[in-house]
Amino acid sequence: MSNLPHDSAHTHVTGRSEFVDDRAKLSNELFVDVLYSPHAKAKIKKINIDKALKSPGVKGIFLGKDFHHNIWGTIFQDQPLLAETEVNFAGEAIALIAATHPDTAAVAKALIEVTYEVKPAVLSVQDAISLESFIAGSRKIERGEVEKALASAPNKLENSLVIRGADHFYLESNVAIAYPKEDGQIEVHSSSQHPTECQHVVSHGLGLGSKDVTVIVKRMGGGFGGKESQAAPIAAYAALVAQKLNAPARIVLTKDDDMVMTGKRNPFEVFYNVGFDDNGCITALDAKLYSDGGAYADLSTSIMERAMLHSDNAYYIPHLRVTGQVCRTNYHPHTAFRGFGGPKGVAMIEKIVEEVAHYLGKDPLEIRKLNCYTDEGGRNITHYDQVVENNCLPRLLSDLEKESNYVARRKEIEAHNIKALTDRSLPLKGLSLTPVKFGISFTTRFLNQANALVIIHRDGTLQATTGATEMGQGVNARISELIASELGLKRSAVRMMPTSTDKNANTSPTAASSGTDLNGAAAILAVRRIKMRLSELALKLFDIPESQWARHTAGLGTQEEVEVKNAHLTNDPNEGAEWNSGIAEYHGISFKDGQVFSAKHPEKRMTFHSLIVEAYHNRIALSEYAHYKFPGLSFNKLTGKGTAFLYFTQGAACSEVSIDRDTGEAKVTRADIIMDLGRPINEGLDLGQVTGAFIQGMGWVTTEKLFYKNGFLLSHAPSTYKIPNIQDTPRIFNVRLLNNNENKPNVRGTKAAGEPPLLLCLSVWTAIHDAMKRLSPYKLKYPHMELPATNEEILKAMHPELFKKWTKK
Ligand code: MTE
Ligand code: QUE
Ligand code: MOS
């Protein structure tokens, strides 16, 4: 384990990191602007581009008909690249304007005349349900006898929860530059988590073979799921202009346009019936999940599936039925966002736990511990029949209870809130501790594969590429560290090169937190094959006087070459080493600190560089390519049963909030987090992911609220959309990693860190409820609030009578 800085830290902070729009402008380059619909639903009766075409500096205007295939979609191909006859959301692209300058493009855009016939739009999950406006069918995952268990439960609660969306708010908006190359080829530089998807959408859209489209992703200025599917049409827009006008074409969305055009985290509405005994042991749960998919399918069905698979979170619920239905509305197609469906499923069950505790007058932590998955009594099997291996949850709960000083603080807060009831100048305080268990793997099995290419140059430095894309999470730092460590080199000896579809094809999106797990494993397999050959060579060289080595003699043609077997290309991840126990060793040869030596006779040694030079002169291949897939996945989407995940990343957070009585503002005054990330590759990067994800999640559950008017997003800039800033972070913020050496299935015993800690933000949301519980209206009734619990939402809960006249129904 290391603690090296992010490989781009120094170029980021000095402004020298290259993002797509930093690429120098070519002299004939064109700028592409997008005209989109202001209406959520309308028929397009006419598009008149005549005036716009005559505008100075305009080189072309393109419509849906200009694409070879005007259709795309990640799971279902249901979405036009450019709307032709109808628009189904406000922000849906209709026309592309190619001009010599962004300003001239904007002038021309205003001259395009679109005649709409505005239609009634579906603008809520409720409306979609009553109109049966759905995307794909309803899904169900079920265990036990839910009806019976509910009927016989001593206590029952029935309720619902509204969960709203959130914008990804990556710093770099969607962007692409397409270069026309000889013989009809196109090269696209994109800010995408999924270059292969961009390649496919571009080639299909333009009527080219994939062989003629290369998509390159050097890095993103953040993705967070927002650039998993939705970067692809942007790439296609640039590519279309480049193809039609035979000139480089650059499209750079403004923040406002990006926010209006692209989908967000899916809003959800969930309905549940829960049965529990007098101790608070949950015996039955019947949950119905509805999500707002927006106008097109995008990834919403997979997101729903993950929500259903996370409706248990950390709890064993013997009789559990969860159904899921994606609704079709007239909002931008909602999409992947850190956690995918997980946060929605977990929000529901954590709210249920809080309600059960409130109903029984118990501390919610007691209910959590009581229902937590344990290895005893068969209470370690999920509703989809996967065994929870390496279960750290009980330990996380009890460790964090101690470390956060939960019991004492609970008492203090109780005493404080009693004072606050009579002294309104005091804030209300709340405390909550929530766990997370997040399954690592794509639930779509075929996506759980990756490939890597590793190259050793003759000076002993390396380049590597995989299908993984760098979005700030540090996947390049981690993979280069894995490669370097196998060869006993410093990380700085390995350069990760831009992700490119001409080197790594048929890749999956860098998503589901599995970027390092999948691509890092492929990279290790590749480097181990080279290492196998190098080890055999070293073993043989140690018995040959150096004067006879090929580098000295080969020029004269006098020396026999050392023959080395080509490492057999199996797909066994354990090739030569326990996956979990670290570095592989072959032929008793060790690689350490830039040296290669016999483990038994360490005096027999040479430098790594020297070995590489010798390998070259003996005509030994110094590059390798490998493919890797997660083993053991058996989830069946039809039955909703099986091993869906390679393992679970787990964690727990304890948050304290302080609520201003006049403004409803909730401040997180303290947060304590323990995360189980197995055996980290780079602890600093992992702590960064945990901290960042938690704060990003805090925004979702507190201040980030999307305001729409007739389906058009009004809050499309930081002035109206409030993400957390540095003052919003907890003043006391203790984050540590659990020491866990037992994650056998994954590369080096690590656990993915990207998404799981986001779900810990729910402790903030439940802590806000915890504070509200002290107020008189909520002695018996649970203080139901939406997610996010914005200042307004909290004020409304504090003073329901004052808000009556503004509240519908
Ligand atoms: N961290 C940063 N800095 N920027 C990002 O865009 N995306 C998150 C997470 N951490 C993201 C991030 C999401 S949604 C995922 S799925 C993972 O990173 C993807 O990368 P990984 O699989 O390499 O962890
Ligand atoms: C988590 C994810 C994804 C997922 C499933 C998860 C994801 C994703 C897909 C997906 C599914 C079907 C497809 C496809 C992608 O599934 O990011 O192209 O045909 O893209 O559990 O993050
Ligand atoms: Mo992350 S939501 O899987 O890109």
Side-chain angles (χ1 to χ4, degrees), residues 254-272:
T254 62
K255 186 75 200 165
D256 304 73
D257 285 349
D258 186 294
M259 286 187 76
V260 169
M261 292 173 70
T262 63
K264 318 289 163 216
R265 187 184 285 287
N266 293 81
F268 269 61
E269 279 190 39
V270 306
F271 303 86
Y272 51 84

Side-chain angles (χ1 to χ4, degrees), residues 410-621:
R410 168 65 71 209
K411 281 201 193 108
E412 276 167 33
I413 286 172
E414 208 71 37
H416 168 94
N417 282 338
I418 287 168
K419 259 195 264 158
L421 284 179
T422 51
D423 181 354
R424 271 185 45 92
S425 70
L426 293 175
L428 282 177
K429 290 187 178 183
L431 183 71
S432 185
L433 193 161
T434 64
V436 65
K437 164 182 127 292
F438 193 85
I440 303 301
S441 290
F442 290 92
T443 51
T444 301
R445 191 187 307 137
F446 65 79
L447 293 171
N448 294 291
Q449 57 177 322
N451 60 73
L453 177 64
V454 176
I455 293 168
I456 308 183
H457 295 284
R458 272 151 70 189
D459 66 352
T461 67
L462 285 85
Q463 290 178 320
T465 64
T466 71
T469 55
E470 177 66 45
M471 58 193 99
Q473 85 278 39
V475 71
N476 283 347
R478 289 191 181 86
I479 295 178
S480 52
E481 226 161 306
L482 286 175
I483 294 171
S485 63
E486 283 289 322
L487 297 174
L489 301 173
K490 289 202 176 87
R491 190 185 77 190
S492 56
V494 183
R495 176 74 71 187
M496 296 305 292
M497 302 308 288
T499 313
S500 178
T501 56
D502 61 358
K503 295 200 284 301
N504 301 97
N506 302 312
T507 59
S508 296
T510 307
S513 301
S514 59
T516 299
D517 294 10
L518 285 165
N519 295 279
I524 286 198
L525 286 178
V527 76
R528 281 184 182 172
R529 282 167 197 159
I530 307 177
K531 186 175 181 177
M532 232 184 264
R533 297 195 283 266
L534 291 175
S535 300
E536 191 181 339
L537 174 67
L539 183 76
K540 291 180 175 166
L541 286 177
F542 288 140
D543 291 334
I544 303 172
E546 196 174 333
S547 60
Q548 286 175 34
W549 287 7
R551 78 177 65 169
H552 301 301
T553 60
L556 297 172
T558 54
Q559 195 261 341
E560 294 271 318
E561 274 181 347
V562 177
E563 289 272 349
V564 161
K565 275 201 294 281
N566 238 330
H568 202 65
L569 299 184
T570 68
N571 187 29
D572 177 6
N574 296 323
E575 233 168 8
E578 271 297 308
W579 211 216
N580 188 36
S581 59
I583 314 262
E585 203 169 283
Y586 307 101
H587 304 289
I589 302 292
S590 297
F591 290 62
K592 218 174 162 191
D593 300 330
Q595 300 270 315
V596 181
F597 54 92
S598 157
K600 278 215 192 95
H601 306 284
E603 71 286 357
K604 294 185 173 182
R605 63 171 59 228
M606 67 181 88
T607 64
F608 176 77
H609 176 215
S610 178
L611 179 60
I612 295 304
V613 170
E614 204 43 37
Y616 170 73
H617 285 95
N618 286 284
R619 299 192 296 177
I620 290 164

Side-chain angles (χ1 to χ4, degrees), residues 193 223-226 228 336-340 442 471 510-513 755:
Q193 293 173 243
F224 306 112
E228 211 182 305
F337 193 158
R338 207 170 193 170
F340 223 53
F442 290 92
M471 58 193 99
T510 307
S513 301
E755 296 168 284

Side-chain angles (χ1 to χ4, degrees), residues 312-316 349-350 368 371-373 393 435-437:
D312 58 335
N313 193 24
Y315 313 112
Y316 175 76
I349 188 65
E350 290 304 335
R368 290 193 165 92
N371 288 285
C372 190
Y373 281 111
L393 293 163
V436 65
K437 164 182 127 292

Side-chain angles (χ1 to χ4, degrees), residues 218-236:
K218 182 171 164 62
R219 62 159 63 79
M220 280 158 273
F224 306 112
K227 294 173 180 169
E228 211 182 305
S229 54
Q230 302 203 3
I234 307 293

